[in-house]
């Protein structure tokens, strides 16, 4: 169990490879990172932390972003159209939040990472077993 100081929010910044897209996000210094095995997360090695929309701020690069959708169309896989890096997206499990690619956060604000495995290959069954809605709530 986290102590109060471990769950305190810190201001993380990050972005894509070429620097065209930059963001900041309020999240704990100890990040609970989702490791999903769905088809797109596996292909992109998309380990991400889910945060409420109101804790995310795009600092620059809106004009450098493009979106990929597939399947249900709920998830918005946003990536830089210059370098191709997805530094954040809107996940299907939490369309009211953002999934932040942990490897795109400037690491000086990350204290530690815990990995949470999610069976995205069996998405519907996994969502029935596991309520992830709290992750995108303030």
């Amino acid at each position: 169990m986290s102590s109060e100081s471990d769950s305190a929010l810190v201001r993380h910044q990050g972005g894509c490879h070429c620097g065209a897209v930059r963001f900041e996000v309020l999240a704990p210094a100890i990040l609970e990172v989702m490791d999903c095995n769905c088809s797109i997360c596996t292909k992109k090695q998309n380990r991400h932390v889910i945060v409420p929309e109101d804790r995310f701020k795009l600092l620059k690069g809106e004009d450098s972003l493009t979106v990929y959708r597939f399947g249900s169309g709920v998830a918005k896989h946003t990536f830089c159209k210059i370098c191709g890096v997805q530094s954040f997206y809107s996940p299907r499990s939490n369309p009211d939040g953002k999934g932040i690619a942990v490897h795109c956060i400037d690491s000086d604000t990350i204290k530690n990472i815990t990995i949470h495995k999610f069976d995205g290959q069996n998405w519907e069954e996994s969502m029935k077993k596991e309520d992830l809605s709290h992750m995108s709530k303030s």
Side-chain angles (χ1 to χ4, degrees):
M1 180 170 276
S2 296
S3 71
E4 179 117 2
S5 64
D6 290 342
S7 63
L9 299 179
V10 298
R11 188 171 311 278
H12 301 282
Q13 290 195 355
C16 67
H17 184 258
C18 72
V21 176
R22 293 290 298 167
F23 66 85
E24 69 179 24
V25 62
L26 291 173
I30 298 175
L31 299 174
E32 182 180 352
V33 175
M34 301 297 292
D35 185 10
C36 177
N37 67 356
C38 77
S39 61
I40 196 160
C41 286
T42 298
K43 294 279 186 186
K44 293 189 301 181
Q45 294 297 294
N46 183 28
R47 290 176 187 88
H48 57 280
V49 58
I50 298 173
V51 299
E53 181 82 35
D54 65 356
R55 292 189 187 153
F56 173 85
K57 181 178 180 183
L58 184 62
L59 299 174
K60 74 173 200 171
E62 187 165 356
D63 59 336
S64 297
L65 293 172
T66 192
V67 176
Y68 172 67
R69 292 181 186 219
F70 72 100
S72 70
V74 174
K76 297 175 191 166
H77 298 275
T78 310
F79 61 96
C80 176
K81 59 186 173 184
I82 299 166
C83 68
V85 169
Q86 174 187 285
S87 50
F88 62 89
Y89 78 113
S90 298
R92 179 180 175 195
S93 63
N94 298 78
D96 58 340
K98 291 285 188 218
I100 311 300
V102 70
H103 56 273
C104 289
I105 297 174
D106 303 336
S107 62
D108 59 332
T109 55
I110 299 173
K111 192 178 199 180
N112 201 355
I113 293 172
T114 59
I115 303 293
H116 177 88
K117 299 278 187 183
F118 181 76
D119 185 10
Q121 289 181 358
N122 300 295
W123 197 88
E124 286 79 10
E125 294 83 17
S126 295
M127 288 301 290
K128 288 177 188 173
K129 293 178 191 174
E130 219 176 325
D131 181 14
L132 303 178
S133 64
H134 70 281
M135 300 179 103
S136 56
K137 304 295 182 233
S138 292

